[in-house]
Amino acid sequence: PTMQTLINYLRERDLLLLLDNCEHLQEACAQLVAAILETCPAIFVLATSREPLGVPGEQLWPVPTFAVPAVSIGLEVETLLSYDAVHLFVERARMHRPTFELRSDNAAQVAEICRRLNGIPLAIELAAARVRMMEVDEILVRLSNCLRLLASTSALAPPRQQTLRALVDWSYDMLSPAEQ
């Protein structure tokens, strides 16, 4: 069986095993992690999930959204860069346009983008990727329909990760009727 083969392989290893997006197969991931931790003493597991796996010894590390500058905050570049949301936007924007800089003439727009996206890292990364083909003020204007603008350009991403709208729909569908 596949699980036994994996456990046999891992049993003598000393490593960190990373499992990402476990909420997609939560029960199967929980069973796998429990079996590995029971039989492989030198294996550590880092699992990302929107829900706890519920395995013995599990430690939860919630990942909150990033702080965003208040509307009343001064728009000085150095002040804005101290906010994780703005810093992430600038860092990711530079990946798509290496000459991108946070300046006094675009600082207000970048801060507003981060506010409109509620400090959500995935949304900020998707918005920052748009600097490759748009100016910051154009991104801000188009955020009025942000669920369509914030789409991944990766054809390899599963459908639920290609647009923010698909992610929201998929997450909503995962909820019970009472939670919806």
Side-chain angles (χ1 to χ4, degrees):
T2 305
M3 188 179 313
Q4 191 58 50
T5 302
L6 179 61
I7 288 172
N8 290 342
Y9 177 80
L10 294 174
R11 187 172 281 125
E12 301 302 320
R13 305 257 188 296
D14 182 5
L15 58 86
L16 171 67
L17 179 65
L18 174 63
L19 302 175
D20 193 22
N21 292 333
C22 291
E23 66 271 6
H24 305 295
L25 298 166
Q26 187 174 3
E27 186 177 326
C29 286
Q31 290 171 356
L32 175 65
V33 168
I36 289 171
L37 294 178
E38 246 176 52
T39 57
C40 305
I43 301 293
F44 291 89
V45 178
L46 174 61
T48 68
S49 180
R50 292 174 189 215
E51 298 291 329
L53 294 179
V55 298
E58 180 175 27
Q59 294 180 4
L60 302 179
W61 293 84
V63 179
T65 59
F66 288 145
V68 297
V71 175
S72 61
I73 197 98
L75 297 176
E76 296 173 16
V77 170
E78 290 305 314
T79 302
L80 291 177
L81 284 172
S82 69
Y83 287 87
D84 289 335
V86 174
H87 184 79
L88 177 65
F89 183 93
V90 172
E91 185 179 274
R92 294 306 190 260
R94 285 183 181 146
M95 289 174 65
H96 298 283
R97 189 192 309 166
T99 59
F100 181 84
E101 288 183 42
L102 185 66
R103 302 178 313 266
S104 58
D105 64 327
N106 67 7
Q109 290 94 348
V110 170
E112 183 59 24
I113 288 169
C114 293
R115 278 192 290 273
R116 285 200 191 169
L117 298 175
N118 297 316
I120 300 171
L122 175 60
I124 292 169
E125 289 200 33
L126 292 171
R130 297 296 175 257
V131 302
R132 181 178 341 148
M133 48 203 152
M134 295 181 213
E135 295 301 320
V136 174
D137 57 340
E138 294 174 275
I139 295 170
L140 185 56
V141 167
R142 291 192 183 193
L143 276 177
S144 60
N145 192 353
C146 69
L147 297 181
R148 188 172 31 165
L149 172 68
L150 301 180
S152 173
T153 57
S154 172
L156 301 176
R160 71 178 173 277
Q161 294 176 355
Q162 290 182 3
T163 67
L164 196 56
R165 170 85 265 157
L167 178 67
V168 169
D169 289 344
W170 176 84
S171 295
Y172 181 82
D173 291 341
M174 295 280 291
L175 299 172
S176 70
E179 291 170 322
Q180 289 174 352

